[in-house]
Amino acid sequence: MKTQALAVRQDMVAEDGKRALARARARAFGEFIREIPFATALLDRDLSLIAVSRDWGAQGIAPGLLIGGEAVAGGLVAREDAAALLACAEEGLAFSRYLPVTDESGAQRVWRTEFSACRDDDEPYPVMVTARDVTGYAESVLRAERDRQRLTMALELDDLLVREYDLRTRQVFFSGHAPDLQKYCTFKDDPLEIVHPEDRQRCADLVASRKLGEARVFEFKLKRDDGIETWVRSVGKVFIGQDGQPEKLVNLFKDITDRRRQTEAIETLAFKDPLTGLPNRTLFQHRFQEAVSASETLGEMFGLIMIDVDHFKDINDTLGHDAGDALLKRLAGMLQHAFRTGDTVARLGGDEFAVILRGLHGEADMTRPIEALQDLLRRPIQHGGRSFTASASIGAALHGDLDADPAHMIKNADIALYRAKEAGRNRSIVFEPSMRSEVERRLELLRDVRAALTENEFTLYYQPVVDIRENRVAGFEALMRWVHPEQGVLTPARFMAAFEDQDLSLKLGDVAFETALKQMRAWLDEGVEFGRVAVNISSAQFRSGRLAEEIQERLARWSVPCERLTIEVTENVYMGWGSDLVSETVRRLHEAGVMIALDDFGTGYASLANLRQFPIDRLKIDKSFVQNGEDEAIVKAVITLGTSMGMKVVAEGVEDAEQLEALARYGCDQIQGYHFGRPMPAGEVAGFLKGFGG
Ligand code: C2E
Ligand code: CA
Ligand code: CA
């Protein structure tokens, strides 16, 4: 008990001693404060003023001014900061404030006040106050604050995000209002981490090419693990410190996903082929121009490949458009497979495709993928339970000769493609300068024929076909003539290429039918007994699948009976692609009463047995057999065979009586040739008939 009481008393003595010591120290500190050469004051723990620096006093701030009245600590602290001042005195928590003050002259000043309490062991010192006039500085701080607010508003309005990366401390700060964006713009070591792997190389290249202090714009996809596609546009700039070293990287980010989707949609519409998803002709031309300028400026070698599906129209006509579309899609896939991702594979329209190959080292770089493509093409295509094969003709051109005009590349590849088709399709040909002239002549001819069609320069000549048993004119073959304004009357030998051109042969076919029918109508009206007129049909005319209807419509329109018309079809047309279509068309015409003649018999590959399925009324033995004496046996056999199959046989190209006599002996019914009459203008027909009848 006793010892305990003693201990308590000793404590009290110690406590009293401590207090006395603290007060003594405070007094000494107060002396020190008074000597400090700037505005400083010392408050007691009960917040009464102990000391004020002489300097502050000289400014008219006397202890009397500071303490008293309503203001806390003599007006040094705003009322709402009373609690902070208390916490400073009791717990030693320092704080500072900007304090508006009106000076003697009535001007508004700003003071920066700092309140701090120093502890000595667990005994706090009184509070020390320092004050500085910071009027000018405060204004700039306020201005900066206003600017900051404006910037923040702008950032929020536009959903922008600012990222500052301190290159020295590696700290990252964000400002702006785009929480989602911020999440994916955060990185650990490398700012490029946030870029989607697809775009990273491109961005890295951009970064590498950027000069210090230069702003660069990037557009890239963000790397997100949730699979959501987010595109950003970023302006990035490295700021240099006062020591000339890179100090910080500042990036401004904006989410452009919506805009990007819109542009993509527009680009898809404008630049993509909807069926295959490949670049279309517009984009192809764009890329071609890029290749041309790269070759002009960098001397880069590039290749151009034109691809045309063989007999695509026939596939469409016979297997249907679905099969055609399936084939085009398959081909698009094969092309993408055969060529590198950097190559531009485009669909130019219809069954025409093109590939631009950049950065080549030689012809092999181009022929290798072509061979790969041809390998792929050999595999059958399955569609709707059916399997079919397709082939393609390929024309290629290489721009290696840097003196040549790269813009000619398209034409050159086209010429090579044309050559490949002409050589029997299903092959590839690389352009050589020697190919040009011949093909150019051909293209020129087609151009001229097109112009001549619009000028109505085509007409028909009529060559008699004579029935030698009855000794009368059985009819006439209508043969096309081009009444050329400068070169006179040209025979088809001069414009044969036009009959092989899809578009032109249809137009010429139109002219032939309309001219012949109009003429027949006129002869019928005039009472000219012409028998039948034979019109030649080229293979393209069968392709629409409507030829039978078209012919019957025309006959009806001109009121010419079907029995007045013969159509001449060569055996190669019968045997070619889509022969189902040909036989169906021919059968319908035959049933309607149109006579069907098999033209140029013997020059193709068909045998009569092959032709049994077609309702052929007449066989026309080609003039090469008739005129060649050594082929007598063949002529004889054809006549015998044809007659036995119920066909009448016409011999073409009979020029003299000797030939005529032999043919009559073999049992040939009808004769066509110069012996009886050359092809003549329509106006001479009536006179010829009169002369023949005698
Ligand atoms: P083609 O159908 O075999 O026509 C017969 C050709 O032999 C005609 O030549 C005719 O003038 C010629 N010829 C007739 N008799 C004799 C003769 O005794 N001796 C000789 N040396 N030749 C004779 P053309 O008029 O020059 O026609 C050539 C080819 O042009 C025709 O051969 C035919 O394949 C084609 N052709 C002519 N008109 C048309 C047409 O309207 N449409 C189509 N698709 N082809 C046509
Ligand atoms: Ca003919
Ligand atoms: Ca013929």
Side-chain angles (χ1 to χ4, degrees):
M1 258 326 243
K2 201 180 161 191
T3 42
Q4 204 178 19
L6 188 68
V8 170
R9 226 196 115 67
Q10 278 175 340
D11 277 356
M12 285 172 65
V13 172
E15 185 65 16
D16 280 352
K18 257 189 195 166
R19 287 240 172 98
L21 195 65
R23 267 197 295 275
R25 272 192 189 151
R27 259 197 311 279
F29 200 44
E31 291 299 311
F32 167 68
I33 294 292
R34 271 183 282 276
E35 299 307 318
I36 289 178
F38 51 84
T40 311
L42 196 65
L43 304 180
D44 204 349
R45 280 176 66 201
D46 55 10
L47 304 181
S48 56
L49 185 72
I50 298 174
V52 70
S53 67
R54 210 178 294 144
D55 187 64
W56 208 348
Q59 282 184 32
I61 299 160
L65 279 173
L66 292 164
I67 298 175
E70 286 283 287
V72 180
L76 264 181
V77 189
R79 196 152 270 290
E80 60 267 29
D81 289 327
L85 184 57
L86 219 62
C88 183
E90 286 176 357
E91 295 158 45
L93 297 173
F95 71 100
S96 60
R97 290 290 183 270
Y98 288 101
L99 185 73
V101 174
T102 313
D103 71 5
E104 308 94 314
S105 64
Q108 277 291 319
R109 313 291 300 172
V110 178
W111 285 358
R112 167 84 171 173
T113 54
E114 316 236 6
F115 296 80
S116 57
C118 304
R119 280 169 177 270
D120 181 18
D121 297 332
D122 41 31
E123 193 65 30
Y125 275 117
V127 177
M128 187 165 82
V129 190
T130 61
R132 271 173 300 145
D133 187 333
V134 293
T135 310
Y137 171 73
E139 272 169 9
S140 69
V141 167
L142 286 173
R143 214 179 305 121
E145 181 63 24
R146 269 199 308 275
D147 288 348
R148 251 180 59 80
Q149 276 174 356
R150 274 200 207 117
L151 176 67
T152 312
M153 267 169 66
L155 294 183
E156 280 179 17
L157 254 175
D158 219 12
D159 286 331
L160 290 171
L161 178 71
V162 179
R163 187 186 69 191
E164 287 181 52
Y165 174 44
D166 191 316
L167 294 163
R168 295 173 186 179
T169 64
R170 301 192 154 267
Q171 278 178 299
V172 177
F173 306 95
F174 284 99
S175 44
H177 184 77
D180 199 34
L181 206 54
Q182 181 165 337
K183 184 171 163 201
Y184 294 103
C185 288
T186 307
F187 60 92
K188 253 180 79 194
D189 301 311
D190 179 0
L192 285 175
E193 275 168 32
I194 67 164
V195 182
H196 192 279
E198 275 174 21
D199 295 335
R200 201 167 292 164
Q201 190 55 49
R202 187 171 51 83
C203 290
D205 291 347
L206 258 178
V207 169
S209 69
R210 169 172 69 187
K211 290 195 197 80
L212 271 186
E214 187 184 62
R216 268 291 159 92
V217 180
F218 303 78
E219 273 188 19
F220 56 86
K221 209 166 20 171
L222 281 180
K223 182 172 165 261
R224 289 182 68 147
D225 34 27
D226 56 5
I228 296 176
E229 224 177 47
T230 306
W231 281 86
V232 291
R233 184 182 168 83
S234 163
V235 187
K237 180 174 171 169
V238 171
F239 286 85
I240 320 250
Q242 281 176 336
D243 56 0
Q245 293 299 310
E247 188 177 40
K248 61 179 175 178
L249 166 68
V250 179
N251 285 86
L252 188 69
F253 295 101
K254 179 164 174 56
D255 186 329
I256 54 157
T257 311
D258 286 349
R259 199 204 68 196
R260 183 96 189 180
R261 292 229 172 90
Q262 282 165 3
T263 11
E264 263 174 14
I266 292 166
E267 279 178 1
T268 305
L269 273 183
F271 296 125
K272 291 273 166 74
D273 163 49
L275 178 69
T276 59
L278 293 179
N280 63 8
R281 187 182 283 274
T282 312
L283 187 52
F284 165 79
Q285 264 153 357
H286 195 76
R287 295 274 171 81
F288 178 73
Q289 278 317 316
E290 283 174 0
V292 168
S293 51
S295 104
E296 278 168 347
T297 54
L298 311 167
E300 189 189 89
M301 190 193 279
F302 74 102
L304 182 63
I305 299 173
M306 296 287 187
I307 299 143
D308 201 300
V309 181
D310 294 335
H311 307 294
F312 181 70
K313 276 221 154 53
D314 297 338
I315 293 171
N316 245 347
D317 289 345
T318 53
L319 298 178
H321 287 277
D322 276 2
D325 285 357
L327 169 62
L328 293 176
K329 282 193 215 162
R330 258 294 289 274
L331 185 64
M334 288 176 187
L335 285 165
Q336 280 169 319
H337 207 266
F339 294 93
R340 299 170 303 179
T341 35
D343 299 333
T344 299
V345 175
R347 180 175 173 217
L348 303 185
D351 57 339
E352 253 183 284
F353 293 81
V355 187
I356 302 167
L357 302 104
R358 299 263 307 264
L360 301 184
H361 301 290
E363 196 174 313
D365 286 350
M366 187 170 70
T367 47
R368 231 179 294 112
I370 291 178
E371 279 161 21
L373 174 65
Q374 280 172 325
D375 268 350
L376 290 171
L377 274 166
R378 265 173 221 123
R379 302 181 190 167
I381 293 165
Q382 312 293 334
H383 179 76
R386 288 175 76 168
S387 162
F388 62 99
T389 48
S391 62
S393 301
I394 300 170
L398 189 71
H399 184 67
D401 177 5
L402 298 177
D403 293 330
D405 182 354
H408 283 156
M409 286 279 288
I410 294 183
K411 198 172 165 192
N412 294 353
D414 263 338
I415 289 171
L417 172 62
Y418 169 72
R419 276 299 186 99
K421 288 190 197 175
E422 204 184 34
R425 300 170 199 266
N426 189 19
R427 68 197 65 219
S428 70
I429 287 182
V430 179
F431 173 80
E432 280 164 31
S434 65
M435 290 175 188
R436 196 176 276 137
S437 55
E438 181 198 327
V439 172
E440 271 174 347
R441 270 202 305 278
R442 183 193 164 93
L443 293 175
E444 199 182 352
L445 170 73
L446 297 184
R447 210 168 41 234
D448 290 350
V449 168
R450 219 163 274 134
L453 270 163
T454 61
E455 297 294 321
N456 295 319
E457 289 171 11
F458 290 94
T459 187
L460 292 176
Y461 271 32
Y462 297 87
Q463 184 177 32
V465 180
V466 176
D467 189 308
I468 48 174
R469 295 217 177 127
E470 297 173 16
N471 197 33
R472 64 173 183 95
V473 177
F476 292 83
E477 179 176 4
L479 294 159
M480 189 70 79
R481 293 293 179 268
W482 178 359
V483 186
H484 197 282
E486 286 138 30
Q487 301 172 37
V489 178
L490 306 178
T491 64
R494 294 287 296 279
F495 55 93
M496 219 48 183
F499 285 122
E500 284 148 22
D501 180 89
Q502 169 79 18
D503 174 54
L504 285 178
S505 65
L506 289 180
K507 292 200 165 104
L508 289 170
D510 252 14
V511 171
F513 265 112
E514 283 302 295
T515 313
L517 286 167
K518 186 179 180 190
Q519 190 56 59
M520 284 191 256
R521 181 70 254 153
W523 283 331
L524 287 170
D525 291 345
E526 293 158 17
V528 177
E529 199 25 81
F530 59 89
R532 278 186 191 256
V533 169
V535 174
N536 292 281
I537 311 270
S538 54
S539 69
Q541 288 171 274
F542 283 97
R543 288 197 168 150
S544 73
R546 287 199 70 254
L547 185 66
E549 288 87 345
E550 275 169 28
I551 290 176
Q552 282 170 278
E553 279 162 22
R554 283 183 207 271
L555 285 163
R557 188 149 34 81
W558 288 103
S559 303
V560 173
C562 293
E563 289 70 26
R564 291 287 184 171
L565 181 70
T566 298
I567 58 164
E568 295 196 3
V569 185
T570 62
E571 57 184 321
N572 291 334
V573 171
Y574 281 111
M575 302 317 292
W577 236 97
S579 61
D580 286 358
L581 197 80
V582 176
S583 78
E584 178 59 21
T585 303
V586 161
R587 192 185 52 74
R588 291 230 290 279
L589 287 169
H590 173 80
E591 277 166 11
V594 175
M595 188 176 274
I596 313 296
L598 177 59
D599 203 359
D600 299 349
F601 184 72
T603 56
Y605 303 104
S607 68
L608 274 178
N610 282 343
L611 296 168
R612 212 173 245 141
Q613 52 172 317
F614 300 102
I616 295 163
D617 303 292
R618 287 235 187 296
L619 268 186
K620 293 188 83 172
I621 309 177
D622 192 69
K623 59 177 172 285
S624 59
F625 297 105
V626 172
Q627 291 171 348
N628 188 349
E630 289 169 18
D631 290 336
E632 212 182 289
I634 298 177
V635 173
K636 224 158 122 179
V638 169
I639 294 170
T640 315
L641 200 66
T643 313
S644 76
M645 287 173 72
M647 300 172 189
K648 291 213 163 183
V649 179
V650 187
E652 289 186 300
V654 179
E655 294 185 356
D656 53 46
E658 210 180 315
Q659 290 165 345
L660 173 66
E661 194 263 324
L663 287 160
R665 233 182 316 117
Y666 306 144
C668 185
D669 309 287
Q670 296 187 338
I671 299 293
Q672 182 181 346
Y674 295 172
H675 177 70
F676 286 116
R678 292 182 176 247
M680 62 190 84
E684 294 176 13
V685 166
F688 174 83
L689 283 169
K690 253 192 215 125
F692 193 86

